[in-house]
């Protein structure tokens, strides 16, 4: 009985790990922001093609910055308030977790 339980536990652990890796990547689709010349992926603050913790850190460093100060700031201003605020950080965090239901991930 214990042998079967160990095998079942291993299968459950594998399924859990795979679901954590695959589901968040497929849950987010991109919206784009423009500066009038180029288009940038909303929330992709460091412009590496993915929305991850590095983008959240970069947005946090720009906290309170006017969106015209850099392209990075404009991709982090998801609520359109013209500055990086707490709500922008919360939206990026939600995008990373795959739970954002705002206009940026529809």
């Amino acid at each position: 009985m214990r042998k079967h339980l160990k095998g079942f536990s291993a299968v459950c652990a594998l399924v859990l790990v795979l679901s954590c890796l695959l589901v968040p990547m497929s849950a987010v689709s991109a919206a784009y922001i423009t500066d009038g010349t180029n288009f940038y992926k909303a929330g992709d603050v460091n412009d590496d093609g993915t929305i991850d913790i590095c983008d959240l850190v970069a947005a946090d460093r720009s906290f309170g910055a006017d969106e015209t100060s850099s392209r990075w700031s404009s991709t982090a201003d998801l609520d359109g308030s013209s500055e990086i605020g707490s709500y922008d950080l919360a939206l990026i965090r939600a995008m990373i977790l795959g739970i954002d239901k705002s206009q940026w991930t529809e």
Side-chain angles (χ1 to χ4, degrees):
M1 176 72 178
R2 289 189 121 171
K3 187 176 183 180
H4 295 292
L5 189 58
K6 284 184 180 181
F8 179 72
S9 296
V11 169
C12 288
L14 180 64
V15 168
L16 180 64
V17 168
L18 289 176
S19 66
C20 289
L21 293 175
L22 299 177
V23 171
M25 287 187 259
S26 63
V28 177
S29 62
Y32 291 89
I33 293 175
T34 184
D35 61 3
T37 307
N38 298 309
F39 287 93
Y40 305 102
K41 190 175 184 180
D44 186 16
V45 182
N46 63 2
D47 198 28
D48 66 353
T50 60
I51 300 171
D52 55 17
I53 191 69
C54 296
D55 298 302
L56 185 60
V57 170
D60 187 48
R61 288 181 151 193
S62 300
F63 190 83
D66 185 320
E67 76 168 20
T68 60
S69 63
S70 72
R71 185 208 61 83
W72 283 26
S73 297
S74 64
T75 58
D77 180 26
L78 299 180
D79 65 358
S81 66
S82 298
E83 69 177 25
I84 311 307
S86 300
Y87 189 64
D88 298 308
L89 298 179
L91 285 174
I92 293 172
R93 189 175 307 117
M95 292 169 79
I96 293 168
L97 295 173
I99 58 173
D100 183 33
K101 302 296 183 207
S102 75
Q103 63 180 335
W104 301 109
T105 59
E106 289 180 349

